[in-house]
Amino acid sequence: MTAISTVALSVQIGLRFVGIWPNASYALFFRGVWILTTGIVQTFQYWWIIIHLGTDDMSHLMDGLSVTMEYSVMFLKLIILWLNSRINCRSIFYDILATMAADWREAAISEIHTMRNKANLSRHFSNVIIGLHSAAAFSYGIGVLVSHSNDYNIDGDKTPAREFTLKLQLPFESDKSPRYELVMCLEFCHQLASSAMTGVLNSLIVTLSISTQDSDTIDSSSLMKAIVFYMAATVEAFIFCFCGEYLSAKVGMHKRDSHI
């Protein structure tokens, strides 16, 4: 068994799509796409935050700020990995994988069973973490659509007050069809991909922590506590996002009723 087999297939695919996995095809292309798209999204996100800093609707501002900071952290992780995963030359990340492979080759027969259990554990936890991030992003996007589907502008013209999954200050009008549907679809897909990538990067940390022989000092109970805490934090963030969207919808209803 090699070290590569200890990394979940979902993590391998994710790392290939950001140009980090060793000897991945079109690594420069994928890196360029992520840098371009995420850079554009982050620019419009921070532009939106600067414009809305003086708003009275704090829940709306915090909603946009939380997603923006999540994007920034994810992008920073990618930059660090890119700098340590240089193409066509030996990199720190490649050395880590090579060391893991050497540990597996040099492992005694009596240790194989334990190392296989660790490999299976890391793959299961990786899939759970990526699934949680993806489900949270998907639920958030659907929640935005549902909570604002019946909202209307306060000017009484019966024009839907359309909301987006990402708070972006776009340089063009995007409230009317079909431009709204196009922007909404692109935002939803990019947010879903970014959330899944955050799960991939976090799963990579778990895999690198478990898949070494020195990790014998980490027992299963300690690892389970860490994973449970991680899951609880993810669920808590989802609850706060859901409550924020619900309160925003209620505020919109009150504003609409006050102008009838």
Side-chain angles (χ1 to χ4, degrees):
M1 182 179 291
T2 64
I4 293 180
S5 65
T6 66
V7 181
L9 180 61
S10 55
V11 177
Q12 294 185 37
I13 294 174
L15 294 179
R16 289 180 184 275
F17 273 101
V18 291
I20 294 176
W21 190 258
N23 301 321
S25 302
Y26 308 107
L28 281 177
F29 171 76
F30 286 121
R31 292 186 185 188
V33 170
W34 276 92
I35 292 174
L36 178 63
T37 57
T38 307
I40 293 175
V41 170
Q42 284 274 269
T43 299
F44 292 147
Q45 281 179 320
Y46 281 106
W47 187 8
W48 183 92
I49 291 174
I50 292 174
I51 292 177
H52 291 81
L53 280 177
T55 183
D56 295 331
D57 190 353
M58 290 302 298
S59 63
H60 199 58
L61 177 62
M62 295 306 297
D63 185 20
L65 183 61
S66 61
V67 177
T68 301
M69 295 306 298
E70 180 185 3
Y71 260 81
S72 298
V73 172
M74 183 271 297
F75 198 31
L76 180 61
K77 290 179 181 179
L78 286 178
I79 292 175
I80 293 174
L81 284 173
W82 284 331
L83 293 176
N84 292 282
S85 304
R86 297 180 297 277
I87 300 176
N88 297 327
C89 64
R90 198 169 186 84
S91 63
I92 296 176
F93 182 60
Y94 179 84
D95 291 339
I96 292 175
L97 292 179
T99 301
M100 291 167 58
D103 289 341
W104 279 83
R105 288 193 301 267
E106 298 170 0
I109 297 178
S110 59
E111 298 174 339
I112 293 298
H113 179 70
T114 301
M115 297 181 71
R116 284 179 177 175
N117 289 336
K118 292 179 181 179
N120 292 331
L121 192 65
S122 67
R123 286 195 293 267
H124 291 322
F125 281 141
S126 296
N127 293 331
V128 169
I129 291 173
I130 296 173
L132 283 174
H133 278 278
S134 301
F138 182 82
S139 301
Y140 178 83
I142 297 300
V144 171
L145 290 175
V146 172
S147 61
H148 295 276
S149 59
N150 296 322
D151 289 352
Y152 292 89
N153 291 330
I154 60 176
D155 54 10
D157 61 356
K158 296 298 181 179
T159 302
R162 292 173 165 178
E163 190 71 19
F164 295 91
T165 56
L166 296 177
K167 303 298 186 296
L168 306 179
Q169 187 64 35
L170 298 176
F172 54 84
E173 183 66 31
S174 58
D175 291 336
K176 297 181 180 180
S177 299
R179 190 173 296 177
Y180 169 79
E181 286 77 11
L182 177 60
V183 173
M184 188 68 172
C185 181
L186 292 175
E187 286 185 0
F188 180 79
C189 292
H190 197 276
Q191 185 177 16
L192 183 61
S194 299
S195 297
M197 187 52 56
T198 299
V200 169
L201 298 178
N202 293 338
S203 300
L204 178 62
I205 297 175
V206 173
T207 300
L208 296 179
S209 300
I210 295 177
S211 302
T212 59
Q213 292 188 26
D214 293 336
S215 65
D216 290 334
T217 56
I218 304 177
D219 56 20
S220 299
S221 62
S222 299
L223 183 61
M224 184 62 68
K225 291 178 182 178
I227 296 298
V228 170
F229 175 79
Y230 179 86
M231 294 174 64
T234 303
V235 173
E236 182 181 12
F238 171 75
I239 292 174
F240 277 111
C241 290
F242 177 80
C243 292
E245 289 299 323
Y246 177 79
L247 291 176
S248 298
K250 295 294 289 185
V251 170
M253 292 175 60
H254 287 299
K255 288 183 178 179
R256 186 172 65 252
D257 293 341
S258 63
H259 288 80
I260 295 179

